[in-house]
Amino acid sequence: PLTPVPMPVWQQQLKWLSDKLMAFTGLVLLSPLLIFLALRVKAESPGPIIYKQERVGKQGKPFIMYKFRTMYEEAEANGPQLSSLDDNRITPFGRFMRKYRLDELPQFINVLKGDMSLVGPRPERPCYVAQILEKAPHYYLVQQVLPGITSWGMVKYGYANSVEQMIQRLEYDMLYLENQSLLLDCKILLFTIKPLISGKGM
């Protein structure tokens, strides 16, 4: 059976503190970039600057995750749909932001609020969580920790464009849960930098 191994208490406390400090510092230092991105999103197409989406967090608790809007306003008029590289619902500037994962920057606010961590399993939308649990019941184990802006699954697998791919990526999240440590978190953060620089975020 899969058995998550929690971090030692002192590491959990240090992770909580470093999450808050890094998220706050990130928002302050990147504020000129955040303002620029917000203005570009607003100028390119009608709609809100920040896209709010319900995700499932720790202990199965729903929360609202923040992102810069990368799609046209009525992109989900027909209900939730997973995105892909050639998705025509994505705006030109939205495509650029996704390449460098700039659309994820508002999630520093989620970290400050306590909804997310910098590193942890990627949170999914409730409708997809239900589908994943049908095929992979052990998925509930990822809800024992805070979800993250980045994860071992995002580093090793990347974005998932289907429920099947989410289940494949789940293998890396389970590896993370079995080997949790501050050292692993640092490793994941370092590995996250490469796709940001190379523009292979999506």
Side-chain angles (χ1 to χ4, degrees):
L2 298 163
T3 307
V5 179
M7 287 183 183
V9 174
W10 71 270
Q11 287 195 26
Q12 293 180 36
Q13 293 172 340
L14 189 55
K15 175 172 178 166
W16 180 89
L17 180 61
S18 60
D19 275 347
K20 303 296 184 186
L21 287 174
M22 291 175 72
F24 178 77
T25 302
L27 287 171
V28 172
L29 294 181
L30 296 174
S31 56
L33 174 61
L34 295 171
I35 293 169
F36 168 75
L37 294 174
L39 292 173
R40 277 299 305 267
V41 170
K42 191 66 178 176
E44 185 174 59
S45 63
I49 293 170
I50 299 296
Y51 179 60
K52 300 176 182 179
Q53 191 177 72
E54 186 180 40
R55 298 286 178 116
V56 178
K58 187 176 181 180
Q59 306 301 333
K61 181 182 176 182
F63 71 97
I64 300 300
M65 190 174 80
Y66 306 119
K67 302 176 74 171
F68 280 121
R69 180 174 56 82
T70 59
M71 291 187 174
Y72 294 104
E73 190 173 13
E74 299 300 321
E76 291 199 325
N78 298 319
Q81 299 176 52
L82 290 167
S83 183
S84 61
L85 278 171
D86 57 353
D87 196 328
N88 58 15
R89 297 175 300 155
I90 303 174
T91 65
F93 189 65
R95 197 174 302 279
F96 169 80
M97 286 196 294
R98 286 184 174 215
K99 281 183 66 178
Y100 294 94
R101 295 187 185 172
L102 296 172
D103 58 315
E104 310 279 0
L105 291 176
Q107 286 162 42
F108 282 143
I109 297 171
N110 286 117
V111 174
L112 288 178
K113 288 178 62 180
D115 299 324
M116 299 176 70
S117 174
L118 292 178
V119 178
R122 191 67 180 160
E124 302 294 353
R125 300 169 76 171
C127 58
Y128 297 124
V129 168
Q131 294 179 54
I132 295 170
L133 283 169
E134 283 183 10
K135 299 179 179 180
H138 59 284
Y139 177 76
Y140 79 93
L141 292 170
V142 305
Q143 296 172 0
Q144 293 187 12
V145 297
L146 281 175
I149 295 177
T150 188
S151 69
W152 196 229
M154 290 296 292
V155 165
K156 301 295 287 184
Y157 190 91
Y159 282 100
N161 299 323
S162 67
V163 171
E164 288 69 27
Q165 289 183 1
M166 291 176 185
I167 292 171
Q168 291 171 15
R169 190 174 64 188
L170 176 60
E171 295 179 22
Y172 295 103
D173 289 331
M174 297 313 302
L175 280 173
Y176 173 77
L177 292 176
E178 293 172 333
N179 298 278
Q180 292 178 80
S181 70
L182 285 178
L183 185 60
L184 180 56
D185 277 15
C186 291
K187 184 177 180 180
I188 291 169
L189 287 171
L190 287 174
F191 272 107
T192 300
I193 294 172
K194 184 177 179 181
L196 301 187
I197 296 173
S198 64
K200 295 180 179 178
M202 182 173 178

